[in-house]
Structures are given as C-alpha cells and as structure tokens.
Amino acid sequence: MTLSIQQTIQEADRCVACGLCLPQCPTYFKTGSEADSPRGRIQLMSAVAKEILPNNDRFKAHMNACLSCRNCETACPNGVRYGALIDQARVITQQSNWASQGMGWLASNPKFLRLFSQLLRLGQSTGVLSLLSKTHGGFAKRIAMIPQLTTMQCWQTHYPAKRVKRGDVNLFLGCITSAFDAETLLASIHVLNHLGYDVHVPTAQSCCGGIARQQGDANLAKAHIEQNTQAFQHDWPVVTVASGCGAGLKDYTTLPVQDISDFLVRCDWSDIHLNPLHAHVALHEPCTLRNVMKSANAVTTLLSKVPELMLSPLKGKLQCCGGAGTYMINQPEMAEALLADKMMLLQQETFDFLATSNIGCAMQLGSGIRQANMPLTILHPVTIIAKQMGFQSELD
Ligand code: SF4
Ligand code: SF4
C-alpha cells in the first residue's frame, strides 16, 4: 500500500530508535553514517514529511543510497514497515537520470524491451559490445551486466500438464526475466508440467511495477499493479521466478503470489526421477527472497533433492549484492563495493555453479564474474532442477 504523508509520519513515529536494525544494514556498514542507516533514514523521512527539514539533495542522496533490501524490517521489534516508508520516500525524491528513466520506459513497453534485448544480442554475436567495452571504458561495467542473450521467445497462453493433472498455476513472466532470461521461464514450465500442473501465461500481464516504484513514479507503479490484478483473474497461484518481482506483487496486490521454489517444494515428487549432478553449487540468497517472500529455505530444500549435488550457501548473506533493481545503475559506487565483497567470498572456494532466484542478482553477480573471468555459470535453482529432469533449452 502506498502511504499518504500523514501515514508516513505515523509509521515513522512507530520507530523507537532502538538501533537494533543498524547491524543489519549494508549501507550503514559501509559508510558508518547514521543518515545511511534505517533509523537515520526514518528520522529524516519523518522530518521531511513534517516539513521540519527540506526535501533537498542531501535528503535525496541518503534515500537513494538505500538498497530496499529490507534487512532492517526483519530486525525491528516494533514491526516498522520500512519497505512502505522507503517507497513513499522515493515518491517524494523522484530519482531520475537517463539510464533509470530508460529502464523504466522499457519495462513499461515490453515490445521495445524485447527489441532492445535482441539488439544487444546482435551486439554480442557480432562482437560490437565487446569492442565497445574495450574502447569505452565507462561502458565496460554496464556491458558486463548483460548475460549471454538468446533468441526471442513467444509465449503460449497455456502449457498443459505432461502427466496426470494435479492443478493449475499462473506464471508471472517479469519484464526483465522475459527479455534476458527466457531459459529460466522455460525451465519452470518444464518442471511444473512434469509435476502435473497446467501453466497459464496471461498475455495481459505487465511489469511488476518495481522499477517505476524505485524511481518514485507512483502512478506508473499503480498502473502496472492494476494491469496485473486484471490479468490474473483466477484463484490459481501466481508463481514468480524472480524474487524481486514476487516481492513487489506480494506487497502491492492481493494476488496469491508464490515463489516458484516455495511452490515446488510443496508438490509431490515421489515418482519424479532427478539425475545426479556431481557439482559444487554456491547458493546466493536474494534479499527479497529472504526478507519479503520468506522462501529462502525452500530453495535449499529444492536443490537438496538433486543426488550428489553439493550445496554451499554463499557467506555474508545479509549483505545485498548491490544489484537491487536499478541500484546498480543509479548508485554504481556502492553497488560495486558490495559486489566486490561477494566476489571475494566467491573466490575463496571452487564452485561449478552459482544459483540465485533473482534476475537482478544474477545480472549483478554475473557482471563481477565476467569481469574477473571466472569459469562460473549462474543458473536459477529451478533451471538446475529442470536440467536434472531432462530439460533441454530450445534457445540458442
Ligand atoms: S532497506 Fe537495507 S539498505 Fe535500506 S535501510 Fe534497510 S537495511 Fe539499510
Ligand atoms: S529496529 Fe525498528 S524501532 Fe528500532 S531503530 Fe530500527 S526501525 Fe526503529
């Protein structure tokens, strides 16, 4: 729910300034500044909402530096709804630069986003992107974020169960996942169909609204939410593969949203054969999966089904990777500092795969892995499961 100014003041006033959230906050850990802590940000929000302090560039800078990781919420004894507060602060501050505005526009115009992803794919296959990253150093990091792109996927509205039917689910595509990681969506359909579920993909679905919300565009975020509420009319679970999208839909709709791993661990696997995978997999825990979807344990349970797979949770899980939606574009310095910590942890052991349930984290970590030339493949946990069930990507 979007808060009014009065509601913002009331919610902020529920903070008793105990400071229990401070050790959970990655930006406070990095800067040591109270204004970059949850407690400090809440006090600033309250002061600006009450017009005690001006809504100036310093206020904006401290709000924009927040990752919206929501670690602070989980530590708060008073249950202060920090996520709702920071969303409202973003409406007041309205973050706008050409890169994030472009992302927001693309997210709202899926045809152009798909066209953009295919242009990038052409740039990858012809070597133009690699040349650009060498000749224009400033672009190198952004180009490294782009995963290896595949051909465009045309989604069917219905994928029938491949065995005795057990139920129906809706699949939420997500604008970025659909354009940049269709393989995860196809893998999810494969697993769901083979477990006996009809998968429905309503064409009227839209972006979850997360990018617009991060830019402080409340009207656009609301339009996305309304469109999705209309698109998913049935009571079937709305299964999401990107925890960032799932979190936005869970917060702002009444739809029965469920993370794919959480849905899958509740299914009957008794007659499903999974081939062994002799591999060491690092498991990255997205903040939105842990703090909002509350489904982090489901991923561990799901991957534990694969014989011989050795799973190691990536250490330092309370620290965001710095992806955080458009944060990696808008706040590159902090995003890189947070990424550097993750890369150090990844380099301490030898892994064959890195599993993560969020496309934003996959792009951010992928950029670090590509820049470090590490031989490490990033996969969604469901893609690992699907491959062990015989899934072969149709994409090239
Ligand atoms: S959402 Fe994350 S970065 Fe923002 S104040 Fe809370 S813990 Fe800190
Ligand atoms: S833990 Fe909750 S009440 Fe305590 S300072 Fe943080 S937000 Fe305020």
mmCIF file of all heavy atoms in Angstrom, residues 24-27 38 41 66-72 82, ligand 1:
data_model
loop_
_atom_site.group_PDB
_atom_site.id
_atom_site.type_symbol
_atom_site.label_atom_id
_atom_site.label_comp_id
_atom_site.label_asym_id
_atom_site.label_seq_id
_atom_site.Cartn_x
_atom_site.Cartn_y
_atom_site.Cartn_z
ATOM 1 N N GLN A 24 22.131 -4.714 10.724
ATOM 2 C CA GLN A 24 21.611 -5.444 9.558
ATOM 3 C C GLN A 24 21.746 -4.649 8.267
ATOM 4 O O GLN A 24 21.427 -5.156 7.202
ATOM 5 C CB GLN A 24 20.109 -5.750 9.747
ATOM 6 C CG GLN A 24 19.737 -6.379 11.071
ATOM 7 C CD GLN A 24 20.246 -7.794 11.185
ATOM 8 O OE1 GLN A 24 20.220 -8.533 10.203
ATOM 9 N NE2 GLN A 24 20.730 -8.169 12.350
ATOM 10 N N CYS A 25 22.159 -3.389 8.375
ATOM 11 C CA CYS A 25 22.064 -2.505 7.208
ATOM 12 C C CYS A 25 23.388 -2.416 6.439
ATOM 13 O O CYS A 25 24.393 -1.921 6.959
ATOM 14 C CB CYS A 25 21.646 -1.109 7.674
ATOM 15 S SG CYS A 25 21.599 0.066 6.311
ATOM 16 N N PRO A 26 23.399 -2.877 5.185
ATOM 17 C CA PRO A 26 24.649 -2.852 4.415
ATOM 18 C C PRO A 26 25.197 -1.449 4.174
ATOM 19 O O PRO A 26 26.416 -1.259 4.181
ATOM 20 C CB PRO A 26 24.264 -3.499 3.078
ATOM 21 C CG PRO A 26 22.986 -4.208 3.311
ATOM 22 C CD PRO A 26 22.296 -3.489 4.426
ATOM 23 N N THR A 27 24.328 -0.453 3.982
ATOM 24 C CA THR A 27 24.862 0.882 3.685
ATOM 25 C C THR A 27 25.436 1.523 4.950
ATOM 26 O O THR A 27 26.434 2.242 4.889
ATOM 27 C CB THR A 27 23.795 1.796 3.037
ATOM 28 O OG1 THR A 27 22.665 1.888 3.912
ATOM 29 C CG2 THR A 27 23.353 1.272 1.695
ATOM 30 N N PRO A 38 18.899 2.583 8.697
ATOM 31 C CA PRO A 38 17.431 2.623 8.676
ATOM 32 C C PRO A 38 16.881 3.645 9.674
ATOM 33 O O PRO A 38 15.984 4.411 9.346
ATOM 34 C CB PRO A 38 17.022 1.202 9.060
ATOM 35 C CG PRO A 38 18.272 0.412 9.202
ATOM 36 C CD PRO A 38 19.454 1.272 9.003
ATOM 37 N N ARG A 41 17.467 7.118 8.395
ATOM 38 C CA ARG A 41 16.596 7.416 7.230
ATOM 39 C C ARG A 41 15.157 7.654 7.684
ATOM 40 O O ARG A 41 14.485 8.559 7.172
ATOM 41 C CB ARG A 41 16.653 6.264 6.213
ATOM 42 C CG ARG A 41 17.973 6.191 5.471
ATOM 43 C CD ARG A 41 17.901 5.255 4.267
ATOM 44 N NE ARG A 41 19.164 5.285 3.556
ATOM 45 C CZ ARG A 41 20.061 4.288 3.542
ATOM 46 N NH1 ARG A 41 19.821 3.168 4.194
ATOM 47 N NH2 ARG A 41 21.189 4.418 2.880
ATOM 48 N N CYS A 66 19.715 3.910 -0.217
ATOM 49 C CA CYS A 66 19.093 2.717 0.398
ATOM 50 C C CYS A 66 18.854 1.665 -0.678
ATOM 51 O O CYS A 66 18.367 1.956 -1.771
ATOM 52 C CB CYS A 66 17.769 3.112 1.055
ATOM 53 S SG CYS A 66 16.865 1.689 1.661
ATOM 54 N N LEU A 67 19.174 0.416 -0.346
ATOM 55 C CA LEU A 67 19.046 -0.689 -1.304
ATOM 56 C C LEU A 67 17.632 -1.278 -1.355
ATOM 57 O O LEU A 67 17.349 -2.131 -2.207
ATOM 58 C CB LEU A 67 20.000 -1.817 -0.896
ATOM 59 C CG LEU A 67 21.488 -1.504 -0.992
ATOM 60 C CD1 LEU A 67 22.253 -2.198 0.117
ATOM 61 C CD2 LEU A 67 22.014 -1.920 -2.346
ATOM 62 N N SER A 68 16.772 -0.866 -0.433
ATOM 63 C CA SER A 68 15.446 -1.508 -0.274
ATOM 64 C C SER A 68 15.584 -3.015 -0.040
ATOM 65 O O SER A 68 14.730 -3.784 -0.465
ATOM 66 C CB SER A 68 14.544 -1.254 -1.491
ATOM 67 O OG SER A 68 14.235 0.102 -1.610
ATOM 68 N N CYS A 69 16.670 -3.402 0.632
ATOM 69 C CA CYS A 69 16.890 -4.840 0.856
ATOM 70 C C CYS A 69 15.990 -5.376 1.960
ATOM 71 O O CYS A 69 15.759 -6.569 2.055
ATOM 72 C CB CYS A 69 18.351 -5.103 1.192
ATOM 73 S SG CYS A 69 18.868 -4.454 2.803
ATOM 74 N N ARG A 70 15.514 -4.495 2.814
ATOM 75 C CA ARG A 70 14.554 -4.795 3.885
ATOM 76 C C ARG A 70 15.112 -5.696 4.979
ATOM 77 O O ARG A 70 14.347 -6.306 5.722
ATOM 78 C CB ARG A 70 13.258 -5.365 3.288
ATOM 79 C CG ARG A 70 12.748 -4.598 2.069
ATOM 80 C CD ARG A 70 11.545 -3.763 2.306
ATOM 81 N NE ARG A 70 10.372 -4.443 2.770
ATOM 82 C CZ ARG A 70 9.333 -4.774 1.993
ATOM 83 N NH1 ARG A 70 9.371 -4.506 0.692
ATOM 84 N NH2 ARG A 70 8.253 -5.320 2.501
ATOM 85 N N ASN A 71 16.446 -5.759 5.098
ATOM 86 C CA ASN A 71 17.030 -6.485 6.236
ATOM 87 C C ASN A 71 16.578 -5.850 7.540
ATOM 88 O O ASN A 71 16.399 -6.529 8.542
ATOM 89 C CB ASN A 71 18.563 -6.391 6.199
ATOM 90 C CG ASN A 71 19.182 -7.455 5.342
ATOM 91 O OD1 ASN A 71 18.506 -8.373 4.902
ATOM 92 N ND2 ASN A 71 20.468 -7.346 5.112
ATOM 93 N N CYS A 72 16.471 -4.504 7.512
ATOM 94 C CA CYS A 72 16.144 -3.780 8.741
ATOM 95 C C CYS A 72 14.775 -4.200 9.272
ATOM 96 O O CYS A 72 14.580 -4.311 10.478
ATOM 97 C CB CYS A 72 16.186 -2.273 8.483
ATOM 98 S SG CYS A 72 15.382 -1.752 6.969
ATOM 99 N N TYR A 82 9.372 -0.563 7.067
ATOM 100 C CA TYR A 82 10.379 0.251 6.400
ATOM 101 C C TYR A 82 10.186 0.247 4.876
ATOM 102 O O TYR A 82 10.378 1.271 4.210
ATOM 103 C CB TYR A 82 11.801 -0.231 6.756
ATOM 104 C CG TYR A 82 12.831 0.633 6.100
ATOM 105 C CD1 TYR A 82 13.270 1.799 6.697
ATOM 106 C CD2 TYR A 82 13.306 0.324 4.823
ATOM 107 C CE1 TYR A 82 14.163 2.636 6.068
ATOM 108 C CE2 TYR A 82 14.197 1.151 4.179
ATOM 109 C CZ TYR A 82 14.628 2.309 4.807
ATOM 110 O OH TYR A 82 15.500 3.129 4.169
HETATM 111 S S1 SF4 B 1 16.435 -1.458 3.288
HETATM 112 FE FE1 SF4 B 1 18.530 -2.285 3.501
HETATM 113 S S2 SF4 B 1 19.884 -0.565 2.882
HETATM 114 FE FE2 SF4 B 1 17.844 0.316 3.269
HETATM 115 S S3 SF4 B 1 17.905 0.975 5.404
HETATM 116 FE FE3 SF4 B 1 17.044 -1.126 5.429
HETATM 117 S S4 SF4 B 1 18.812 -2.481 5.722
HETATM 118 FE FE4 SF4 B 1 19.613 -0.446 5.109
#
